[in-house]
Amino acid sequence: MLVPLVQAIGRSGKLIWLIVLIIAGVLLFRYFTSEKPTETTEYNTDLIEQQIKNVGKLVVTEGHYSQVMTYKDQQKYMMNLITFEKKALIIINADVTVAYDLSKVKYDIDEKNKTITIVSIPKEEIKISPDIQFYDVEQSTLNPFTGEDYNKINRKVKADLARKIEKSKLKTNAENRLVSELAKILILTNTMGWKLEYNNQEIQTENQLSKTLKL
């Protein structure tokens, strides 16, 4: 009578251990096959978005230009026998700004492949604010200075300054500042093990970023 009881207890003990092992196996299976928490990915994405937000400011490079020009205009009558001329010495002092509004940078974040892609970068905004002073003004009653003369002079001054800006270092300096700001995103992605892409190219260095932008 005692022996069968001991054997039954032994068999039930083995059964309990078998049940425990089965439960443990099920739990381990669920642990390894269940979706892993995305806290790290979300944390990384939040950091990148915050960095882009910090970079998304107005980058402004300022310059000053001065020039002197002479404006002349003639009104001729009676087959050019009578001429009425007006002229003036004009001194221009202009403040110029070249700006990039980085809040307009468009980008795409690929969490799965840990890639941030710069989709588009806004074109520079050039603002010319000339201060135009007239000296040695000569005019006649039949050919006085008018509002159209001032508008014509203003357009010419801005066109001349725009050409000077293209040949100067002001625009280049603005582009360098733009690259420096965007490079902050590059540094962050490199630090976090992400990739930065633009124009279907992976950007790995600031120098490469500058060349790829093709400003």
Side-chain angles (χ1 to χ4, degrees), residues 19 58 120 188:
I19 293 172
L58 189 66
S120 65
L188 182 66

Side-chain angles (χ1 to χ4, degrees), residues 187-204:
I187 293 171
L188 182 66
T189 53
N190 285 345
T191 302
M192 298 172 62
W194 282 50
K195 294 188 299 183
L196 179 65
E197 292 185 351
Y198 181 68
N199 264 356
N200 298 318
Q201 295 186 45
E202 181 181 348
I203 308 301
Q204 296 179 327

Side-chain angles (χ1 to χ4, degrees), residues 8 30 51 68 99 101 108 110 130 136 144 153 157 159 164 188 207:
R30 287 183 177 180
Q51 182 63 51
V68 178
D101 188 354
D108 178 68
D110 184 350
D136 299 331
I153 291 168
V157 166
K164 284 187 176 182
L188 182 66
N207 185 50

Side-chain angles (χ1 to χ4, degrees), residues 12-123:
S12 65
K14 291 179 180 179
L15 181 61
I16 291 173
W17 278 109
L18 180 61
I19 293 172
V20 170
L21 289 174
I22 291 174
I23 293 174
V26 171
L27 291 176
L28 288 172
F29 177 80
R30 287 183 177 180
Y31 174 80
F32 287 109
T33 58
S34 62
E35 292 185 5
K36 298 297 186 293
T38 58
E39 292 180 3
T40 302
T41 300
E42 291 175 355
Y43 178 67
N44 289 346
T45 303
D46 289 343
L47 275 178
I48 290 175
E49 289 182 339
Q50 183 60 45
Q51 182 63 51
I52 293 174
K53 185 177 179 180
N54 293 339
V55 171
K57 62 183 180 181
L58 189 66
V59 177
V60 181
T61 304
E62 299 178 335
H64 184 83
Y65 293 87
S66 298
Q67 71 179 70
V68 178
M69 63 179 287
T70 301
Y71 178 79
K72 291 183 179 181
D73 179 77
Q74 290 183 338
Q75 295 289 341
K76 298 180 180 181
Y77 301 91
M78 300 180 64
M79 300 179 64
N80 297 335
L81 293 176
I82 300 176
T83 301
F84 297 96
E85 184 179 71
K86 59 185 171 186
K87 64 179 181 179
L89 179 68
I90 302 171
I91 297 178
I92 302 106
N93 287 290
D95 291 319
V96 179
T97 60
V98 180
Y100 287 94
D101 188 354
L102 298 186
S103 66
K104 297 179 181 178
V105 173
K106 295 182 180 180
Y107 61 91
D108 178 68
I109 296 178
D110 184 350
E111 296 180 7
K112 182 179 179 180
N113 296 308
K114 294 186 176 181
T115 302
I116 177 168
T117 302
I118 298 176
V119 178
S120 65
I121 299 170
K123 185 175 176 58

